[in-house]
Amino acid sequence: MNDWPEGWSGDNRGRYGRGSGSAQPESARVMRQVRRGAAPPPGPGPSAPPYGGGVPQQPSYVDGRGHGGDGYDSGYNTGQVYGSPGGHGPGQGRGGPGRPAPDWRRRIKWTAITVVTALVVTTVGTYFWADSKLNREVDLSKVIERPEAGEGTNYLIVGSDSREGMTDDQKKDLHTGSAEGKRTDSMMILHTGDNGSTLISLPRDSDVEIPSFVGSDSGKTYPGTGRHTKLNAAYAEDGPELLVRTVEHNTGLRLDHYVEIGFAGFANIVDAVGGVEMDIPQDIKDKKSGADLKKGKQTLNGEEALAFVRTRYALAGSDLDRTKNQQKFLSALASQVATPSTVLNPFKLYPTMGAGLDSLIVDKDMGLFDLASMFWAMKSVSGGEGTSMNMPISGSVGSNLKWDDAKVKQLVQELKNDEKVTVSGN
């Protein structure tokens, strides 16, 4: 029995019922239309499309949804995305909820909180790491008969010739020799206060009296005998505590903190900071220190810097000229350490701090803020905001340099009162 409408041929039946044997796609115009809307009311309608006289009438679409007009779907897309009226994406159609605008104030707030938290954690962690690396070996409580404290803060900065921890190759490269123990190679008093900073070199050949003192290890009291010797002999005899006692006794100035660095540590700090630029005042060639430097501006590495600050036999003023070079270099080093390129660069800051803190020996009351204050004060000296000088010398006693007592007394009084220093040194 034939169920197909009258006028439809077998070809029509084969193409629409069972697929076409042709390779060409079927046109939308010949696809069977699907009724989606309500059936139109009975009555005469528009003429059927020219598919054949027996093709039944189908409802048409006007708005593409089976509504309006004759309710017939034309089969053409009107530009709308199905399921998204008006061609909009999900949630963007008319009448639908729109995507909320980003809350930038909230984002900025939480970003700022995250950054500040990270900075606080890093800063606190760095502080405790650095504080744990300080070698607090010097006990100033063992120093007896100390002068009264004045205004400002006084540091005794010592460069020792300690070879501790150095390999034979390092001793050879740095021209340090292999002497056992350690002696002072340089000594300076740094005063910081409201009227600027003052850096005073104490020549190691200064003639001083060794006062009564308590042995740093034995605890035994050794009474003073009025014995005079070179200043560096005090350190060699009983270490930092006796050196502090001797400086205080011969100057009348109370020392608040003690800082010491050895040969290897000094060279390591210079290398960690990437070298220090110096203007060398003259050609220097000294076999004992290993210095072989040309006059003019140049960047010194650790080995060259150590040779520069140790040289005295190639200088006309010997130890007095050497102390001046030491002051210039230490001030330049402090300026280099305190630059933004070092402080803000963790790849340079941490190696520099590690090299410095590992090699420094300080007193038990020394804190990181005290150490930072010392470096900033030394930087101000190199920047022209402070004063650098040698201890005033009046002459010599044998091979020892004798201080000018009147000038030293005035200098110490100005430092105690934290006044502008008016005394000039050698």
Side-chain angles (χ1 to χ4, degrees), residues 247-268:
V247 172
E248 290 187 342
H249 174 77
N250 285 268
T251 62
L253 182 69
R254 185 184 181 97
L255 301 174
D256 301 291
H257 293 294
Y258 177 92
V259 181
E260 177 187 324
I261 186 169
F263 281 163
F266 180 86
N268 289 339

Side-chain angles (χ1 to χ4, degrees), residues 97-114:
R99 183 176 181 178
D103 189 346
W104 290 108
R105 295 179 62 183
R106 181 181 178 86
R107 291 186 181 184
I108 292 173
K109 171 187 173 182
W110 282 108
T111 299
I113 291 175
T114 302

Side-chain angles (χ1 to χ4, degrees), residues 295-315:
K295 178 181 179 180
K297 284 188 176 182
Q298 54 199 285
T299 299
L300 305 183
N301 61 26
E303 179 183 340
E304 294 166 336
L306 183 59
F308 175 69
V309 299
R310 293 182 60 217
T311 295
R312 65 169 175 165
Y313 294 104
L315 305 175

Side-chain angles (χ1 to χ4, degrees), residues 303-368:
E303 179 183 340
E304 294 166 336
L306 183 59
F308 175 69
V309 299
R310 293 182 60 217
T311 295
R312 65 169 175 165
Y313 294 104
L315 305 175
S318 188
D319 199 39
L320 292 178
D321 283 349
R322 179 172 70 164
T323 56
K324 293 176 182 178
N325 286 341
Q326 291 171 347
Q327 288 179 349
K328 291 177 182 177
F329 186 85
L330 289 178
S331 295
L333 175 61
S335 295
Q336 181 71 23
V337 171
T339 57
S341 63
T342 299
V343 175
L344 301 180
N345 183 357
F347 298 103
K348 185 179 286 188
L349 175 63
Y350 286 100
T352 301
M353 291 179 64
L357 296 172
D358 279 341
S359 55
L360 289 178
I361 296 175
V362 300
D363 65 271
K364 293 185 179 296
D365 294 327
M366 185 75 149
L368 287 178

